[in-house]
Amino acid sequence: MTSTQGDAALEPLPSPVPGAVVEEPSLPGRIRNPSTLFRALACLAGLGLLLLLPTLATQTTTGLETDISRGTEQAPHFLLTLAGLTAGFGVLAVPVAFALDRILRRDVIRVLLGLCAAVAALAVDFAIEGWAAAAGPSHLTDVLGFTRAGTPPLQSDLTPVIAYAVAVRLGGRPRWQLAMWGTLALAALASLVAGYSTALGMVATFLIGSLVAYLTLYGLGTPNPRPAGTAVVEVLRRLGFHPLRAVRADDGTLDHRRYLVELPGQRLDVTVLDRDQQSSGLLYRVWRGLRLRANQPRRAVRSLRRSLEQESLAAYAAFTAQVRTPRLLATAEVGTEASLLAYEHLDGALLADLPDEELTDELMVGLWRQLELLHHRRIAHRSLDNMAIMVSGGEPWLVGFSRSETAASDLLLRLDHAQLLTTLALRVGAERAVHLASSVIGAPALGAIVPLLQKVALSRGTRTALRRDKHLLSALREEILRFWPETEVAPVRLERFRPRTIISIVAGAAGAYFLLSQLSDVDVGQLITRSDWRWAALAALASGMSFVAAAMMVIGFVPERLPLGRTVLVQLAASFVKLVAPAAVTGVAINTRYLQRTGIRPGPAVASVGASQLIGLGVHILLLVVLGFLTGSGGMGADFAPSRTVVLVLLAVATAAVVAAAIGPVRRLVLRRLKQMFSGVVPRLLDVLQDPRKVATGLGGTLLLTVSFVLCLDFSIRAFGASLDWTAVAVVFLTGNALGSAAPTPGGLGAVEAALSLGLTVAGLSAETATSAVLLFRLLTFWLPVLPGWAAFTYLQRREAL
């Protein structure tokens, strides 16, 4: 059957080609375009920034209004009056004229959408006016001009017209655009001159009207602009083809349409790119473009023309390189809303549909050879998954060049290797896939794949498939290293940032907000003048002692001999790395790297650091329980909460742990992480236990580390003329340190300060003294060691100790 567009809002379609039959499902009459929602979100973000300006830049906004007032006073009165009269007439006349023009052209739906947006904008305007009059902050309403005594609200005049102008979509009609927006600009100028509004108020008016229009278009849907199959057939006829039959060949889940077109004695595979579908997956592409370094040559936001040119160039280049790929015969635009690419038809099956028994060694070797032909001309496919590989006549063919890059970098070519290796390994296993790849690309190229076997480097479909085989990438790495042990695996950083970085930034901002709110009530100057810096000097000494204690802790749990001086420098260097990594990660990473540089193999190095962390965790929990009991029985009275508070906290933690353990995925995740962290710990501990001096050094360093920090915090409190029982200070520190280790922020920033300040306040200190003591403590233990830590880090790197 022949399908037509079926929507009066579209331009008339060309009549079907005589003798040509088009078979496709009826296209939807209305669609919700994702780009419309993105524009609405952009308007909402603009409004948010605009509302912050009067608070953050009061002098700037006031100066702007003054400059505009002076400028309008110097303008000729006659011209301003003429502009006001023209705008007053045109604001109503132009929209009415456009509506009549559309109605005469049978484009009624467009006018109805504009009217709906105008009515909604008027309702929003009244709601904002009511809020501004009843509860709006005076400085905000004055600057934005939501209300003006004795004058009608500005939005009631212009907001509905702006919403109407945006909703009727004037793109492609330059005369109507000039008339509509020119009239609105004159109306805005007249309002500014008359004092009905402000410059920021006019910007707010535009953003509110546009926001309402975009939300209306997204909510109600817009007429489907995609050309039907009859239009595609007509364009093919104009290109010199003689279509007899066209059948829609996709299931509607792709970001493009595909047609199988029959010609006299020939078939075509036609790909249709629709303009509205270019925004499909935009947020995902923007996220990938920002996150991945390998996406630098790509643009997340692509025009229809750009997409057409990119795929055409890559397809022509691949065919010229004698790669098995369908020949591109023609490209063309289908009206203003779509483009097509016509390929020779290929009879075959996608790799995703190919039975396992037909996936032979010869087929996979041939696939690697086709990729090498592509790479020889510096073309990166960038999407070698199951949907980009076809098998026809027992030979592999490459299709789907929509994401390809010409003049590709070495990194993109290596990413192609990693993608194809993973795609094949998902079907035939790691061992067979690695063996076949090595027979074509060689051992050096195979070794270069190892650091790129990361989920983030693979296509979306491949990452989804890896959820069913979570250990495949590790198996591929191990198989490559087993095949070629001489491989030197140089790490490759594909991500500009990780999601945890965003979490760290948010958590750090929350912690900074907490500290600033605390400092707002603290007279720091007065506290400094009455502080005793002799105690501060002792606190600094205790902070320095913590680096020696940390070095002893590492030395004690490593059976091999380590120099004390260099190990202390490593702990000092870790204080510099804390600026960019969470506290729980820094010590483990830098100490493991240090042990490897001293000649200890990676496995024992990780096990030794894991042993020290495990013992430290046990001592930490034991001290917290013992000191928590002592706080309730040591005669502290009202200085600290009784021991039952500690018991309640421990019970709450235990309950949460039991609930988490009852959830299967959470339990397996924790066990896997603990296994990775502490695998091989027991053998290393047994080696250490054979040397009493090592045991004494390790346990002594663990206890001395805690004592150093407790003394530093206690001396910081005494520096501001206050004091607490040592057990209370110890419990506060142990609790705050545990929270800081769990926090994702660098060095526990924010979480440690908040926990320590709250704990000391509960223990009996005033908020001012607690905050000042914590700030001094963190200055000595976190901020001041950064500069010498950087020097130690640089020195150790030059000596190749890190």
Side-chain angles (χ1 to χ4, degrees):
M1 68 183 278
T2 301
S3 172
T4 59
Q5 185 69 23
D7 196 301
L10 295 177
E11 300 294 341
L13 293 172
S15 59
V17 180
V21 178
V22 179
E23 298 181 7
E24 65 174 342
S26 298
L27 296 178
R30 311 188 68 76
I31 61 171
R32 288 184 172 86
N33 196 332
S35 64
T36 305
L37 184 59
F38 298 151
R39 291 188 177 98
L41 294 176
C43 291
L44 192 61
L47 278 173
L49 293 175
L50 193 66
L51 294 177
L52 290 176
L53 281 178
T55 303
L56 302 179
T58 304
Q59 294 182 351
T60 302
T61 54
T62 304
L64 177 62
E65 296 300 328
T66 303
D67 293 340
I68 292 176
S69 298
R70 292 176 179 174
T72 54
E73 289 175 358
Q74 297 176 1
H77 180 72
F78 171 75
L79 292 180
L80 293 177
T81 304
L82 181 61
L85 292 174
T86 305
F89 172 77
V91 162
L92 294 178
V94 175
V96 171
F98 180 78
L100 292 175
D101 176 75
R102 290 293 93 193
I103 291 173
L104 293 175
R105 295 175 182 269
R106 297 182 180 181
D107 196 358
V108 181
I109 300 297
R110 189 186 302 270
V111 178
L112 290 178
L113 285 173
L115 291 176
C116 290
V119 172
L122 189 61
V124 170
D125 176 67
F126 286 154
I128 293 176
E129 179 190 353
W131 166 80
S138 58
H139 69 281
L140 188 63
T141 56
D142 288 343
V143 173
L144 296 184
F146 284 146
T147 57
R148 281 291 186 268
T151 61
L154 173 63
Q155 287 78 10
S156 299
D157 295 332
L158 292 185
T159 309
V161 183
I162 293 173
Y164 175 89
V166 173
V168 295
R169 304 183 315 282
L170 298 172
R173 298 172 178 84
R175 294 181 180 178
W176 284 112
Q177 280 183 317
L178 179 61
M180 188 78 74
W181 293 111
T183 301
L184 287 171
L186 288 176
L189 178 62
S191 298
L192 289 174
V193 172
Y196 291 167
S197 180
T198 63
L200 293 183
M202 285 306 309
V203 176
T205 300
F206 174 78
L207 291 175
I208 292 171
S210 300
L211 173 63
V212 173
Y214 289 131
L215 291 178
T216 302
L217 290 175
Y218 188 78
L220 298 180
T222 55
N224 193 344
R226 302 171 191 171
T230 52
V232 175
V233 169
E234 172 64 17
V235 171
L236 290 174
R237 186 186 65 80
R238 294 174 183 173
L239 291 173
F241 300 101
H242 303 285
L244 301 177
R245 185 167 174 262
V247 180
R248 180 83 176 266
D250 65 275
D251 57 3
T253 60
L254 304 176
D255 59 356
H256 57 268
R257 288 182 285 160
R258 292 175 51 240
Y259 290 88
L260 176 61
V261 181
E262 294 184 4
L263 309 175
Q266 186 183 9
R267 287 183 173 184
L268 299 179
D269 288 322
V270 178
T271 299
V272 178
L273 307 176
D274 294 302
R275 185 182 300 278
D276 66 282
Q277 287 189 319
Q278 294 303 300
S279 58
S280 177
L282 176 61
L283 291 179
Y284 173 76
R285 292 199 302 271
V286 170
W287 170 253
R288 293 274 295 179
L290 292 175
R291 186 181 174 190
L292 298 187
R293 297 175 185 271
N295 272 32
Q296 285 182 354
R298 301 276 300 156
R299 293 193 300 177
V301 182
R302 291 179 293 164
S303 65
L304 180 64
R305 187 73 183 180
R306 162 70 175 165
S307 300
L308 177 67
E309 292 173 350
Q310 178 176 319
E311 183 170 350
S312 301
L313 177 60
Y316 279 128
F319 188 80
T320 304
Q322 298 182 345
V323 176
R324 287 197 194 95
T325 185
R327 184 160 64 102
L328 180 63
L329 300 177
T331 61
E333 293 184 345
V334 186
T336 60
E337 300 296 334
S339 298
L340 66 80
L341 300 98
Y343 294 91
E344 285 183 335
H345 176 66
L346 177 64
D347 284 320
L350 288 170
L351 185 65
D353 302 326
L354 193 72
D356 290 342
E357 58 271 14
E358 295 185 23
L359 194 56
T360 62
D361 290 355
E362 293 77 10
L363 179 63
M364 288 185 283
V365 168
L367 181 57
W368 279 105
R369 287 173 178 166
Q370 293 301 306
L371 182 60
E372 288 304 286
L373 287 175
L374 198 68
H375 285 182
H376 183 68
R377 297 295 180 88
R378 309 299 298 184
I379 306 170
H381 190 284
R382 303 204 65 201
S383 186
L384 284 169
D385 53 19
N386 284 322
M387 304 301 293
I389 301 169
M390 292 192 68
V391 178
S392 178
E395 299 290 346
W397 292 66
L398 301 182
V399 297
F401 287 89
S402 61
R403 300 185 65 245
S404 299
E405 291 283 351
T406 55
S409 64
D410 290 337
L411 177 59
L412 291 180
L413 301 184
R414 291 166 62 193
L415 285 173
D416 265 2
H417 284 160
Q419 174 66 61
L420 181 57
L421 181 65
T422 307
T423 298
L424 296 177
L426 284 168
R427 296 291 303 274
V428 303
E431 183 177 357
R432 185 179 172 191
V434 170
H435 174 72
L436 295 174
S438 65
S439 65
V440 178
I441 65 176
L446 195 63
I449 299 176
V450 174
L452 299 178
L453 290 172
Q454 309 174 33
K455 280 187 177 181
V456 70
L458 304 175
S459 68
R460 199 172 191 174
T462 305
R463 294 200 305 274
T464 302
L466 284 173
R467 295 175 185 173
R468 299 188 295 270
D469 193 350
K470 299 182 179 179
H471 303 291
L472 179 64
L473 294 182
S474 299
L476 285 172
R477 297 188 198 100
E478 293 173 0
E479 189 63 32
I480 293 174
L481 294 176
R482 187 182 300 114
F483 177 81
W484 195 37
E486 295 82 7
T487 301
E488 294 185 5
V489 181
V492 176
R493 180 71 180 273
L494 295 176
E495 298 174 285
R496 290 189 180 97
F497 58 86
R498 298 181 179 180
R500 70 178 61 178
T501 306
I502 298 178
I503 298 175
S504 299
I505 293 173
V506 173
Y513 176 79
F514 173 82
L515 288 178
L516 291 176
S517 62
Q518 291 291 104
L519 286 174
S520 62
D521 298 328
V522 176
D523 189 350
V524 180
Q526 182 180 359
L527 285 173
I528 291 177
T529 55
R530 61 183 178 85
S531 60
D532 189 346
W533 287 101
R534 290 174 296 180
W535 288 110
L538 291 175
L541 183 62
S543 175
M545 187 170 60
S546 67
F547 295 103
V548 178
M552 293 173 57
M553 185 175 173
V554 173
I555 292 173
F557 291 102
V558 177
E560 292 80 4
R561 183 179 180 83
L562 297 176
L564 177 62
R566 178 164 291 187
T567 308
V568 171
L569 287 179
V570 170
Q571 310 315 307
L572 189 60
S575 63
F576 167 67
V577 183
K578 282 182 182 179
L579 284 177
V580 294
V585 177
T586 303
V588 175
I590 199 165
N591 283 312
T592 301
R593 179 68 173 173
Y594 167 59
L595 295 182
Q596 289 179 302
R597 284 294 191 178
T598 59
I600 301 176
R601 291 181 293 109
V606 174
S608 296
V609 176
S612 66
Q613 295 292 316
L614 181 61
I615 297 299
L617 177 63
V619 171
H620 194 102
I621 295 175
L622 181 62
L623 287 175
L624 185 59
V625 173
V626 172
L627 293 174
F629 172 77
L630 292 178
T631 57
S633 58
M636 294 175 59
D639 287 343
F640 200 72
S643 59
R644 62 172 172 265
T645 302
V646 177
V647 173
L648 290 175
V649 172
L650 293 177
L651 286 176
V653 172
T655 303
V658 171
V659 172
I663 303 175
V666 176
R667 182 179 64 253
R668 289 190 291 271
L669 175 63
V670 172
L671 291 177
R672 185 170 66 252
R673 291 293 177 86
L674 290 177
K675 183 179 179 180
Q676 293 174 353
M677 183 177 296
F678 299 118
S679 60
V681 166
V682 174
R684 296 293 282 181
L685 282 177
L686 293 177
D687 292 340
V688 170
L689 291 176
Q690 298 176 7
D691 188 345
R693 291 178 300 177
K694 286 285 186 180
V695 175
T697 302
L699 291 178
T702 303
L703 292 173
L704 182 60
L705 183 64
T706 301
V707 170
S708 300
F709 283 124
V710 171
L711 288 176
C712 183
L713 181 58
D714 182 66
F715 293 154
S716 298
I717 295 171
R718 295 178 184 276
F720 292 99
S723 63
L724 287 175
D725 192 276
W726 68 272
T727 55
V729 176
V731 169
V732 169
F733 165 74
L734 291 171
T735 305
N737 186 60
L739 293 175
S741 299
T745 56
L749 189 63
V752 172
E753 289 84 355
L756 292 180
S757 299
L758 180 61
L760 293 178
T761 304
V762 173
L765 292 182
S766 65
E768 293 183 353
T769 304
T771 303
S772 301
V774 169
L775 290 179
L776 177 59
F777 172 77
R778 291 291 279 173
L779 177 67
L780 296 174
T781 59
F782 182 76
W783 292 109
L784 286 184
V786 168
L787 186 58
W790 170 79
F793 186 82
T794 304
Y795 170 78
L796 292 171
Q797 279 196 322
R798 289 179 178 175
R799 293 300 182 93
E800 296 185 353
L802 280 182

